[in-house]
Amino acid sequence: MDPLAGLRTTADPSWDVYLTGTVFLDIIFTGLDSAPVRGTESWARGMGSSPGGVANMATALARLGLKTSLAAAFGDDHYGEYCWDALEHGEGIDLSPSRTVPGWHSPVTVSMAYEGERTMVSHGHEPPPEEPAPDCPPRARAAVASLVPGQRATWIAQAASKGARIFADVGWDDTGAWDLAGLADLEHCEAFLPNAEEAMRYTGADCPREAAHSLTAYVPVAVVTLGAEGAYAVDGRTGETAVVPAIAVEALDPTGAGDVFVAGFVTGTLADWPLADRLAFAGLTAALSVQEFGGSLSAPGWAEIGAWWRKVQSLDRQDPEALRRYAFLADLVPEEEGRPWPLRRAVPTIGFRRSA
């Protein structure tokens, strides 16, 4: 499934989306009844290993049919080899801007999921300074960035100058300043996607919707995620607004759900869908992802989206209004269930010997 099939021309850039960042090896424990207690041993009912960090976003984009290029440093240990193989050969992600760093071990994150939340412990060392790459970032339709308060990332301006549409999120501001002026690269962005708490702290607004409208003074499109209440978006250029409730699911592992949400919104934007459809699709992909182990390898593909759409239509007493909200999927997903998508999932142990 290529969501941009009807829009592609011979003049298009080679890549739909470019992104850069740190790839982690994620080790995820699920099925914990509660948070680990000091001085005790906890047993998890489930475990998975998969590429993490920026790999979450890259995989989600690739599985939605976007040509994705990733620039990252990989360790030359077995973890790094596994992550490289999973992304390049397993997901079809372009790693030509990436590099292997001799003698550098891969960053690792252990994530423990319980009660619908997660606790993480990470370890890693700073990689050597990035080597200059004349074609990095490559020309792409879009780029996804994570903004850091008080810092500029030169590649964002470079990507924007080549015509890329920049989509950005942001992490928690440990400085406590919450100053939008400190997010200097916001000036290059088309869309900004903070969560409700971040949006209200940055704008001083009393509610998420007010915060979203305030953010349009700095960026054309503001999307504020509302957790269990869904998401709200405003297009400051047209005045269009959209609100979509969250899909109720039993969450097995929330790792990477925010990345999958952004990937869904990027896909819908590049495909020129209406704002409400983009928001609904982003929420759907995130909801499907939390029902599987792992951050990157839990991202849904079009076969799974199609299976969900067929299933909800077959249920008795389905809310007609809810079905209409996702009716745009009817023209996108495969008509027949067909052969299941051979998605790779997070495995408990990496490095099993392959049978001859």
Side-chain angles (χ1 to χ4, degrees):
M1 167 63 190
D2 180 1
L4 308 185
L7 302 174
R8 297 195 185 279
T9 71
T10 56
D12 288 342
S14 299
W15 307 109
D16 296 324
V17 187
Y18 168 82
L19 62 164
T20 184
T22 302
V23 173
F24 287 74
L25 172 71
D26 279 356
I27 302 173
I28 307 101
F29 292 98
T30 64
L32 290 165
D33 294 323
S34 63
V37 178
R38 180 179 179 181
T40 67
E41 180 179 14
S42 300
W43 281 82
R45 292 187 292 273
M47 173 185 168
S49 302
S50 63
V54 71
N56 295 339
M57 182 76 71
T59 301
L61 291 163
R63 288 188 172 184
L64 292 177
L66 299 184
K67 300 175 182 177
T68 304
S69 182
L70 169 65
F74 289 78
D76 65 350
D77 51 15
H78 185 65
Y79 292 167
E81 293 174 356
Y82 162 73
C83 290
W84 187 293
D85 177 74
L87 297 175
E88 183 177 52
H89 300 292
E91 306 298 336
I93 295 168
D94 168 52
L95 297 181
S96 59
S98 296
R99 72 194 196 281
T100 297
V101 181
W104 182 63
H105 77 71
S106 301
V108 177
T109 292
V110 175
S111 176
M112 292 161 281
Y114 53 88
E115 300 174 355
E117 295 294 337
R118 58 180 177 157
T119 296
M120 297 185 293
V121 178
S122 298
H123 172 71
H125 297 283
E126 287 293 326
E130 291 189 21
E131 301 169 2
D135 296 324
C136 185
R139 195 167 72 92
R141 293 175 184 264
V144 181
S146 184
L147 304 184
V148 179
Q151 297 182 24
R152 277 191 181 271
T154 56
W155 74 266
I156 295 177
Q158 293 171 356
S161 70
K162 295 180 180 181
R165 303 162 74 177
I166 311 297
F167 298 77
D169 60 12
V170 67
W172 190 258
D173 187 353
D174 292 327
T175 70
W178 298 103
D179 181 10
L180 277 170
L183 301 180
D185 286 321
L186 202 60
E187 65 181 355
H188 303 298
C189 297
E190 173 169 333
F192 184 43
L193 300 93
N195 63 34
E197 185 66 21
E198 293 160 350
M200 290 189 292
R201 285 180 179 267
Y202 270 116
T203 61
D206 295 326
C207 73
R209 294 193 183 193
E210 179 186 344
H213 285 273
S214 296
L215 287 171
T216 58
Y218 300 87
V219 66
V221 178
V223 180
V224 177
T225 55
L226 310 174
E229 297 180 20
Y232 183 77
V234 183
D235 189 328
R237 297 165 298 193
T238 64
E240 183 182 8
T241 64
V243 58
V244 175
I247 298 174
V249 296
E250 183 176 351
L252 175 65
D253 177 17
T255 305
D259 295 318
V260 176
F261 181 94
V262 174
F265 191 81
V266 170
T267 301
T269 302
L270 295 185
D272 288 339
W273 299 348
L275 184 62
D277 290 354
R278 287 181 261 162
L279 205 61
F281 186 72
L284 169 60
T285 54
L288 293 177
S289 76
V290 301
Q291 299 176 76
E292 298 284 348
F293 285 116
S296 63
L297 302 189
S298 67
W302 281 101
E304 290 167 307
I305 295 168
W308 176 86
W309 174 236
R310 287 185 291 270
K311 180 178 180 180
V312 296
Q313 292 181 89
S314 68
L315 297 176
D316 295 333
R317 301 177 184 176
Q318 188 63 264
D319 182 359
E321 184 177 348
L323 287 177
R324 284 194 294 272
R325 173 59 272 152
Y326 294 92
F328 67 94
L329 292 173
D331 297 327
L332 296 170
V333 300
E335 293 184 5
E336 301 295 332
E337 187 168 350
R339 180 181 177 185
W341 183 307
L343 289 176
R344 298 179 66 172
R345 293 302 186 193
V347 296
T349 304
I350 63 174
F352 279 123
R353 291 184 180 275
R354 297 178 180 177
S355 57

